[in-house]
Amino acid sequence: MHSDLEHARQAWDRAKSVVQHLEERLPGNPEEASRHQAELHLARLRAYMAQGRVIALERSCLAHKACEDAPRERLRASEAFAAALAEP
């Protein structure tokens, strides 16, 4: 699972760099302006989806960690999950 999260972070970084590149590059003529806006919009959507994947994988890792590290005595699962989230 760790490698999936790492791959997702790398994909998110690549998507963010594409957005940044498109934001810095201005179209040469007015005819290319609408195409440039469409490419920028699509790149932002891809970056947003990549970010969502990273968030989902991070949450699943935290949930998995909470289940693994849950104490066996007098602590409910919800309390164990909250304790796992509080750890740095």
Side-chain angles (χ1 to χ4, degrees):
M1 187 178 310
H2 177 70
S3 63
D4 289 343
L5 179 56
E6 208 46 49
H7 288 300
R9 284 185 179 144
Q10 290 170 1
W12 184 30
D13 289 339
R14 284 191 303 270
K16 288 188 297 185
S17 68
V18 168
V19 169
Q20 183 180 10
H21 173 73
L22 286 171
E23 287 175 340
E24 292 171 355
R25 182 181 62 96
L26 297 175
N29 57 25
E31 292 89 29
E32 293 178 8
S34 63
R35 180 180 173 94
H36 180 264
Q37 287 299 317
E39 288 174 352
L40 182 58
H41 181 71
L42 184 59
R44 285 180 179 150
L45 285 174
R46 287 181 176 158
Y48 183 72
M49 289 187 304
Q51 179 186 19
R53 176 144 173 81
V54 168
I55 291 169
L57 286 170
E58 285 174 343
R59 286 182 181 166
S60 70
C61 287
L62 287 174
H64 182 69
K65 181 180 175 186
C67 291
E68 276 184 357
D69 297 341
R72 303 283 185 232
E73 300 174 7
R74 298 184 189 164
L75 193 60
R76 291 184 293 217
S78 61
E79 294 168 337
F81 184 71
L85 289 176
E87 292 180 5

